Amino acid sequence: MVMTYFEKYRDGRHKNWKDLWIIKPFIICMKVLFRTTIHRPVTVLYPYEKLWEPDNYRGRPGLDFNKCIGCGMCARMCPCAAIILVETPDDEGQPVMRPQVNMGRCSFCAYCAEYCPVDAMTVTPIVELAEFTRSDLIYGPRRLAYAGTTEGMKVPLKETLISDYKAGNKVMRDHASIDRPELEGAKCISCKKCSKVCPVNAITMVEHGVNAKGRPILWPEINSETCVSCSNCIDACPKSALSMKEVL
Amino acid sequence: MVDYVSIRDWINFPDPLSNPNYPFGDVYNLPYDISYKLWEIIGGTLAWLINLIFPGNPVSDWLVCAGAMNFFALIVFMILMFLVPFTGCLVSLWEERKVLGRAMDRRGTMIGLMGFLQCVADGFKTFMKEDIKIKEGDKMGFMWTCSLIIGTSVLIAIMIPLSPRWFVVNYGSGLLIIMALYALAPFFILVSGWSQNNKYAMIGGIRATEMMVSYEVPLLIIIATVALQAGTFNIGGIVDAQYDTMPYMIPQFIGFITFFLCATAESERAPFDLAEAESELVEGWQTEYAGMKWGLIMLADYLRGYVSCAMLVIMFWGGWNLPFIGDYNTWIPEIVFLLKCWLAFFFMIIFRCATGRVRTDTILNLGWKVFMPLAILNLMVVLALKVGGVC
């Protein structure tokens, strides 16, 4: 019977005739229709209107070429493996290592800008990256430059350490200053590889006596002022004598 | 043999009613008149040109004789009669896109004449797409059902009279013929779904049949009710009867609502688009139709929507008449009719926006437990009015 359709309206919640079957959605649709006819719909007419973006809007990464030290932290932290280090001549013509970003892979997470120890890699509000070929999506170090970098586009990662938190000191520390490479002297074979790969020359080889053959034993000494905790030395160490330790 | 020298001797605009082959009896037919004059211009120019090259040839005389004039005028008439529902259906499509967009807090199509040209662009796009034919399955059934669905839809769309002077046929049982042809499509959909060798298509075809058995009976009862109140099955007669008394929406409001829902189901529009449920089945019975076949099927769908609205307007809204207007020939009744059609289509669009698709069991319950009693109730109301002598 017809009345079986009205049984669900006898639960006390539907007191209005407008709640009957399709009448309520019909009225709601008409309301939206008239409202959007008089006022404008929520749609943003994209090519002609653009939404306001904040300074730290995570568009494509931008690079300050001369600030960059080529430590490879961005390439190490990229979750999509979109960044590789390529050899590029700098302004004097000397070959240096700089990041190259493949925008076809980039997921706009801005980890590269967060982990960059010198804030050379920044976020930019550029999101219109359509190209005609796949190879055009590869942004070299020079092409990554962005002129209008503001202070808000630098997004350094701040961390609160668990030790700080337990001590009641909830200070936000710079990511590059909390970990330092530490040496186990027994494993070191004085090969000097760590000092060669350090991008900021923070490692000096210091003599620690002589070995059985009379050769000097050289141990790396890390200058914690200039070290950026990029862990290149740890990767380069053939004997795993270096490891990252929290220093604070 | 007249000595023709000027083009004006070939083009003289005779009265089409004086043509011995005039196909509409003694009723004035506006589209035929337009076609006749158009062919007078085209054929007269052709005859004049041929006569310039070959003076005194029989072809020129044949082109402007009464029989040939009637034949070519009928061809132009066919094209013209198709173009009107076609344009109306394009406008319906545009209206649906825009209104549905606004009702969903969007803008709808925007490119070209406020989005109207998007329909034309979609037509060209489907026209350029690859036309895939099925490898296994019933090829003949596949192609013929598609053609028949489109053909019957176009046929009923051009059979809708827009006014007493704009019609193709003027039968005494025009309403019945239109509804009979209108109810053919679900059979073709069933055969089409069966012939495609595809589970989705088959389920869509079975659903179309299931839907048909649920809404067809109340629909025909309401049509019979309207014919009963008007006393005729002639469309012009129904409209004139409403002009004499009142639009049938007022005494038959229940029937109007029910017919609106049944006509929505008949044209297979949401929320009754069970056969082509694009989010449950892939595309239902249209799954294997690619390219322009699909485009033509969509065109047929919208033509059926146009016919639904036209039947609604004819039966309940007084057709091409406006209330409180003395003589409807003083202005353009065709435009009034089309505007009323688009208004009905507007309500169909809002209905589509407001409701979700019915389930397969719900449509049966709805058809037999809701629409059917309402149709019978409407019939009883009309019977009471007729017996009481009110109308």
Side-chain angles (χ1 to χ4, degrees):
Chain A
M1 286 304 292
V2 181
M3 292 313 290
T4 55
Y5 280 91
F6 302 130
E7 278 175 7
K8 62 185 171 189
Y9 298 110
R10 290 177 189 162
D11 56 359
R13 290 188 295 111
H14 304 81
K15 293 191 175 68
N16 206 338
W17 64 270
K18 286 188 290 193
D19 294 347
L20 228 61
W21 197 34
I22 70 159
I23 296 173
K24 188 174 181 179
F26 205 96
I27 287 172
I28 288 171
C29 274
M30 292 295 273
K31 257 185 204 170
V32 176
L33 176 69
F34 288 130
R35 196 189 69 220
T36 52
T37 308
I38 295 164
H39 305 290
R40 53 169 298 157
V42 294
T43 317
V44 178
L45 303 174
Y46 165 64
Y48 315 108
E49 305 173 351
K50 290 183 185 175
L51 289 173
W52 172 82
E53 294 130 351
D55 260 3
N56 56 357
Y57 187 77
R58 303 196 168 198
R60 75 154 172 85
L63 181 72
D64 189 342
F65 189 91
N66 294 323
K67 224 180 188 186
C68 177
I69 53 173
C71 66
M73 200 67 182
C74 44
R76 191 187 304 278
M77 288 301 172
C78 183
C80 313
I83 305 182
I84 54 169
L85 289 184
V86 294
E87 202 172 80
T88 318
D90 66 354
D91 296 343
E92 285 85 31
Q94 299 300 319
V96 287
M97 300 299 277
R98 291 290 181 265
Q100 163 188 295
V101 186
N102 183 351
M103 280 300 155
R105 283 188 174 194
C106 178
S107 67
F108 308 99
C109 63
Y111 279 7
C112 47
E114 282 185 4
Y115 284 97
C116 184
V118 291
D119 285 337
M121 189 76 95
T122 59
V123 296
T124 62
I126 297 175
V127 289
E128 289 143 336
L129 299 163
E131 298 286 357
F132 284 103
T133 62
R134 304 275 301 256
S135 56
D136 282 347
L137 284 167
I138 294 172
Y139 277 59
R142 295 288 184 185
R143 197 180 165 197
L144 277 172
Y146 181 68
T149 306
T150 61
E151 202 57 37
M153 292 180 192
K154 296 167 183 170
V155 281
L157 186 62
K158 303 281 189 187
E159 292 180 7
T160 305
L161 298 177
I162 296 175
S163 53
D164 277 347
Y165 193 84
K166 282 177 177 170
N169 176 27
K170 297 178 188 174
V171 65
M172 301 285 280
R173 296 182 185 277
D174 195 1
H175 171 77
S177 67
I178 54 177
D179 292 340
R180 284 286 176 267
E182 276 197 6
L183 179 72
E184 290 181 52
K187 290 185 183 177
C188 180
I189 54 168
S190 311
C191 67
K192 304 181 189 173
K193 276 187 181 176
C194 47
S195 68
K196 283 174 190 163
V197 297
C198 182
V200 287
N201 298 324
I203 300 181
T204 49
M205 304 306 285
V206 179
E207 220 173 293
H208 278 257
V210 291
N211 60 6
K213 294 181 180 177
R215 300 273 175 83
I217 298 174
L218 298 175
W219 282 0
E221 191 175 272
I222 293 150
N223 179 5
S224 58
E225 293 293 319
T226 52
C227 173
V228 292
S229 312
C230 66
S231 52
N232 275 341
C233 48
I234 295 164
D235 289 353
C237 184
K239 289 291 177 185
S240 305
L242 287 163
S243 58
M244 273 292 184
K245 289 280 176 2
E246 210 175 87
V247 293
L248 296 162
Chain B
M1 191 65 205
V2 193
D3 186 20
Y4 297 104
V5 285
S6 162
I7 189 170
R8 287 189 196 173
D9 299 328
W10 297 95
I11 304 174
N12 44 18
F13 293 122
D15 183 21
L17 283 150
S18 64
N19 191 320
N21 302 314
Y22 182 67
F24 300 102
D26 49 359
V27 187
Y28 174 70
N29 190 307
L30 177 66
Y32 182 80
D33 192 10
I34 294 170
S35 325
Y36 201 82
K37 289 179 167 53
L38 263 174
W39 178 251
E40 181 70 31
I41 294 168
I42 299 164
T45 312
L46 271 175
W48 172 67
L49 284 171
I50 296 169
N51 196 54
L52 280 181
I53 304 165
F54 309 105
N57 65 335
V59 177
S60 303
D61 295 334
W62 178 78
L63 274 174
V64 290
C65 75
M69 284 284 291
N70 183 51
F71 175 73
F72 288 113
L74 274 177
I75 287 176
V76 180
F77 171 79
M78 284 187 233
I79 295 166
L80 186 68
M81 287 310 274
F82 171 69
L83 278 180
V84 170
F86 179 71
T87 315
C89 135
L90 281 189
V91 173
S92 301
L93 182 56
W94 170 75
E95 180 193 8
E96 172 163 40
R97 284 172 151 178
K98 294 299 275 188
V99 173
L100 204 60
R102 293 284 171 170
M104 293 175 174
D105 216 341
R106 301 186 279 110
R107 286 180 186 264
T109 52
M110 291 180 62
I111 307 298
L113 299 182
M114 290 177 67
F116 179 76
L117 289 186
Q118 185 74 47
C119 315
V120 184
D122 285 345
F124 277 119
K125 184 191 76 172
T126 51
F127 187 73
M128 285 186 297
K129 281 195 169 190
E130 186 187 2
D131 192 19
I132 300 167
K133 294 176 181 62
I134 49 173
K135 191 174 176 183
E136 293 171 3
D138 186 0
K139 288 192 186 61
M140 291 295 278
F142 178 73
M143 296 300 287
W144 271 106
T145 46
C146 170
S147 314
L148 283 169
I149 288 164
I150 296 160
T152 49
S153 305
V154 173
L155 178 65
I156 53 175
I158 63 171
M159 275 172 72
I160 299 281
L162 297 189
S163 72
R165 62 183 189 186
W166 191 292
F167 60 91
V168 181
V169 287
N170 194 5
Y171 289 156
S173 54
L175 196 64
L176 268 185
I177 287 168
I178 287 175
M179 292 323 288
L181 288 169
Y182 201 25
L184 272 178
F187 297 105
F188 297 142
I189 290 176
L190 174 67
V191 178
S192 165
W194 182 258
S195 66
Q196 284 177 42
N197 193 19
N198 178 334
K199 295 184 192 70
Y200 299 113
M202 198 182 74
I203 293 170
I206 291 168
R207 278 183 174 200
T209 314
E210 178 205 22
M211 203 167 70
M212 186 185 67
V213 301
S214 58
Y215 67 77
E216 201 75 51
V217 181
L219 188 81
L220 289 170
I221 288 177
I222 290 168
I223 287 167
T225 312
V226 170
L228 171 75
Q229 188 167 358
T232 173
F233 271 114
N234 189 335
I235 288 173
I238 290 171
V239 173
D240 289 342
Q242 290 179 71
Y243 183 66
D244 295 338
T245 55
M246 59 176 129
Y248 287 164
M249 187 181 156
I250 297 161
Q252 301 192 31
F253 189 73
I254 302 165
F256 165 70
I257 296 292
T258 315
F259 184 83
F260 176 76
L261 300 176
C262 288
T264 311
E266 178 76 82
S267 56
E268 278 156 21
R269 294 180 47 77
F272 301 106
D273 54 349
L274 287 172
E276 49 190 81
E278 67 275 344
S279 49
E280 303 169 47
L281 316 174
V282 177
E283 192 65 13
W285 62 278
Q286 309 172 6
T287 301
E288 302 287 339
Y289 289 109
M292 200 55 204
K293 287 203 284 286
W294 184 84
L296 284 172
I297 283 170
M298 286 308 286
L299 178 76
D301 268 5
Y302 278 91
L303 280 172
R304 294 170 74 76
Y306 163 82
V307 173
S308 286
C309 298
M311 300 308 286
L312 198 83
V313 169
I314 285 166
M315 286 164 43
F316 295 100
W317 288 0
W320 45 82
N321 295 326
L322 286 175
F324 318 118
I325 301 292
D327 188 8
Y328 53 73
N329 282 324
T330 52
W331 57 356
I332 310 174
E334 293 88 4
I335 299 293
V336 173
F337 186 86
L338 285 175
L339 285 175
K340 281 187 181 184
C341 278
W342 291 325
L343 182 65
F345 200 78
F346 169 83
F347 285 113
M348 276 195 184
I349 294 162
I350 295 292
F351 186 54
R352 169 183 178 170
C353 179
T355 54
R357 188 181 299 126
V358 294
R359 285 201 314 268
T360 42
D361 54 339
T362 322
I363 180 72
L364 282 168
N365 281 328
L366 210 60
W368 290 105
K369 295 183 188 173
V370 178
F371 292 168
M372 193 73 173
L374 287 176
I376 300 289
L377 187 67
N378 184 46
L379 178 61
M380 285 158 68
V381 167
V382 171
L383 275 175
L385 289 177
K386 290 293 274 191
V387 171
V390 179
C391 58

